[in-house]
Amino acid sequence: MPAEDLSELGPVDFYVIEFPAGEANFTGEMAEELVKLVDAGIIRVIDVLILTKDADGEIDAMELSDVPDLGALVAIEGQLAELLAADDVVNLAAAMDPGSVAGVLVYENLWAAPFASAARRAGGQLIANGRIPIQAIIASLEADGALETEGA
Amino acid sequence: MPLRPARIGRVGVVRAPVAKAAVVGAAVASPGPSPIVKTAVVAAAVTPGRRRRI
């Protein structure tokens, strides 16, 4: 990819979505919502893998194209860039519990690309990013509540 | 199922084993106010107009 194209690239994130044993309930809704995000230009799906970890911790990886009935994901499958390497599978599966199945989704945040490019052109550089867990927000609010109670 | 040949031997982009994130559902089921109350409180906390106290 030329350097000028790279400068326009949005942030690339990944999700590992685990389905514990016996709890998967695939109705096609996830695929439809993902396709909506792609069609709306919010994200670009770069790669997808389906991982399984058996009770002994053995890992297996499946390409999206090997899924028998892709449904709405057919359109996405043809556009994948296959960024992930075999070495990545082990690192990604480290988060999984034995006996579970997980979907790995790598995507570009197209919505953030123009802002990121503008920040680069302004001389900025990303030095940190992250996600604030809902648990942390709850803990903060509960601590706030406790402070207010004590202060009353 | 085997991975595509293009993935084999390539340098990975995930540099270290990924740690399992805390599951949001578990937090909502934690002790304290009911899940519905907690959800409402969190939603209010991220609503525009809330000001931090310093």
Side-chain angles (χ1 to χ4, degrees):
Chain A
M1 186 181 280
E4 58 269 23
D5 290 344
L6 279 175
S7 72
E8 302 297 322
L9 191 70
V12 175
D13 289 333
F14 71 86
Y15 277 151
V16 181
I17 303 173
E18 181 182 68
F19 301 90
E23 293 186 27
N25 176 31
F26 299 114
T27 62
E29 183 184 8
M30 282 181 66
E32 288 169 10
E33 293 299 333
L34 186 62
V35 170
K36 281 182 193 172
L37 292 172
V38 171
D39 289 347
I42 296 171
I43 64 167
R44 176 173 69 93
V45 177
I46 295 173
D47 209 350
V48 175
L49 282 177
I50 294 98
L51 307 182
T52 58
K53 184 184 268 190
D54 69 16
D56 297 325
E58 287 292 316
I59 303 158
D60 193 17
M62 184 193 290
E63 301 282 356
L64 188 60
S65 57
D66 293 330
V67 174
D69 182 13
L70 279 179
L73 294 177
V74 167
I76 288 175
E77 196 279 327
Q79 305 296 319
L80 296 182
E82 297 179 6
L83 176 69
L84 295 172
D87 288 350
D88 293 322
V89 170
V90 175
N91 285 334
L92 292 165
M96 296 170 64
D97 286 337
S100 65
V101 178
V104 179
L105 172 67
V106 183
Y107 61 96
E108 178 189 2
N109 292 280
L110 293 177
W111 58 270
F115 174 73
S117 297
R120 289 184 201 111
R121 287 192 291 272
Q125 52 188 358
L126 181 66
I127 59 168
N129 71 331
R131 172 165 293 132
I132 299 175
I134 298 297
Q135 291 89 337
I137 297 176
I138 291 172
S140 170
L141 293 170
E142 288 177 347
D144 268 2
L147 274 176
E148 285 172 6
T149 303
E150 288 168 13
Chain B
M1 296 256 184
L3 289 171
R4 292 227 172 92
R7 299 189 192 274
I8 312 297
R10 215 169 56 205
V11 176
V13 291
V14 182
R15 303 293 174 84
V18 175
K20 186 169 193 137
V23 178
V24 171
V28 174
S30 64
S34 73
I36 293 172
V37 171
K38 279 189 176 176
T39 303
V41 168
V42 171
V46 294
T47 298
R50 185 174 187 265
R51 296 287 183 269
R52 68 175 61 84
R53 299 172 315 183
I54 297 178

